[in-house]
Structures are given as structure tokens and as C-alpha cells.
Amino acid sequence: VQLQASGGGLVQAGGSLRLSCAASGSGFRLNNMGWHRQAPGKQRELVATITSGGSTTYADSVKGRVTISRDNAKNTVYLQMNTLKPEDTAVYYCEADYLLIRDDTTVAGREWGQGTLVTVSS
């Protein structure tokens, strides 16, 4: 399973961005998916998660401004970010828990995307 993230960029404070992360490969099923971010000099933090059934959780710092969604048919997770603030500046990483199904074997794993940079100017 490989994850490819896209959609980052430079935006002014108050603006919006939509991040996408597509999973590719064969013989897999995606479970929980999520977005994390890492700002310069800080630890990576969880931004939002979504289950295969669509249940979501959000970090307090983004609640009300960010929406996570997914398209199971496209194996893609999205992060719609509105009212962006300079403190949202970070590299955003998607991650996915998956099951690999091979004959009679099922293997669970977690994969990370390569990260996409979001820069919010004041």
C-alpha cells in the first residue's frame, strides 16, 4: 500500500486549502485513516481521524475549522481546512491502517504518506 498526499501550498490567513491522500496498491482494505502535522521544531501531532464507517475525531486546535472525509471507492481521504491561521503552518502527513489480503493470510499494517507542506502567511 502506498499513500500519495497532495494539495498543500501557500495561503493567507483566513484562507482555505483541501488536502488529498490517495492509497494505491492491490489486495488491501483500508480501515482508519487520518491526518497528522508537524510544525518546525515541534512534535508530530494528530489533526483528525476517520473510520471506514465515517466516524471522525478532531484535535481541539482545529475543531470547527477542519473537516476530514473519505471516498472509499477512490481509497482517498481528504482534509478540508478553512479559516487557516499561521499556527497551522506545518507539513501534513496522511496515514492509513490497512489489511492486506493474500490467499488465506491477512496482514495488518499502517502506511504514511510523504507529507505536503502547508504555509499560512499572516
Side-chain angles (χ1 to χ4, degrees), residues 7-55:
L10 174 64
V11 63
Q12 288 189 330
S16 298
L17 278 177
R18 189 192 194 207
L19 307 183
S20 299
C21 178
S24 61
S26 62
F28 67 92
R29 186 176 74 211
L30 297 174
N31 292 328
N32 294 348
M33 303 181 78
W35 288 94
H36 302 245
R37 67 185 181 185
Q38 187 166 19
K42 294 188 176 182
Q43 289 188 330
R44 189 174 296 191
E45 64 173 353
L46 178 65
V47 177
T49 66
I50 185 167
T51 68
S52 56
S55 297

Side-chain angles (χ1 to χ4, degrees), residues 18 35 50 56 58 67-71 76-80:
R18 189 192 194 207
W35 288 94
I50 185 167
T56 59
Y58 296 95
T67 302
I68 187 171
S69 61
R70 65 192 286 172
D71 185 333
T76 300
V77 62
Y78 305 96
L79 190 71
Q80 177 67 45

